[in-house]
Amino acid sequence: MQVALDDYAWAAGVATGLVNTTAEVWRGDDRLPDTAALVAFADLHGGRSARPGTGEALAGLARRAGAAELYAVRELRGPVRELIDRPRRGRLITGATALTGSGRGAALVGDPAHPGRTGWAVGLREGAGIAEALSLVCGVGILGTVRALGEERFRPCGAPACRGAFIDTTRPGRRRYCMPGLCGNRANVADHRARKARPS
Ligand SMILES: [Zn+2]
């Protein structure tokens, strides 16, 4: 499996999705309770990669995961969340570089979307499992975002009472919610109720 450095926005999206599966975000309900949930997570996020092969490789690794791998993936969420929560540039670079420790060096590879063009990619070490693959993806996502967009793109969710966090890779950089479809709607409903409750 290879993670292209140009694919950092996708990789950062995987990191955001991963940290927002925790029981802390879902009020006691861990969204990665078993390996079936891990497979569903890998299918969902793998399918969003623009790079042919990366998503399939991620999904394949998830299907081979046992209890120990699932545990390692769940444990990975803590250090990734720590980086998003305290986004100082040096810390982000050191922490995310450590996350890419499961990679085996950078290589120039062809860009499937642009024939004749090449880009940097980091390969996953031989024999690595889904936890190491996700660690590499998160590391690349964080490093790519720091380089291209800056450390102010690491933020807590703006919805009241939501404990989620996200990496904003949108062009204008005005994303407000960890899960825009869900937290954005919740925030709108709360605003609406507050307006209605106010005496006019
Ligand atoms: Zn949220």
Side-chain angles (χ1 to χ4, degrees), residues 1-136:
M1 179 182 138
Q2 281 184 325
V3 186
L5 303 191
D6 288 339
D7 218 3
Y8 76 87
W10 166 74
V14 176
T16 293
L18 185 65
V19 298
N20 291 323
T21 60
T22 61
E24 183 199 6
V25 176
W26 289 94
R27 295 174 188 153
D29 180 19
D30 194 308
R31 291 295 167 120
L32 287 180
D34 49 31
T35 49
L38 180 59
V39 167
F41 178 87
D43 282 347
L44 174 70
H45 288 280
R48 290 176 179 164
S49 170
R51 194 170 186 84
T54 301
E56 289 85 344
L58 204 61
L61 289 171
R63 279 172 175 75
R64 289 198 287 280
E69 275 293 310
L70 173 66
Y71 179 78
V73 171
R74 291 168 65 150
E75 289 294 296
L76 172 65
R77 300 178 297 188
V80 176
R81 178 66 195 250
E82 273 278 309
L83 292 175
I84 299 176
D85 282 347
R86 279 178 269 282
R88 288 196 304 278
R89 194 175 179 87
R91 206 170 167 274
L92 284 168
I93 293 170
T94 310
T97 301
L99 290 174
T100 63
S102 49
R104 55 172 162 74
L108 269 180
V109 296
D111 180 348
H114 303 93
R117 226 190 267 176
T118 53
W120 290 107
V122 186
L124 183 66
R125 150 184 103 64
E126 212 58 52
I130 182 70
E132 285 179 294
L134 284 171
S135 180
L136 175 61

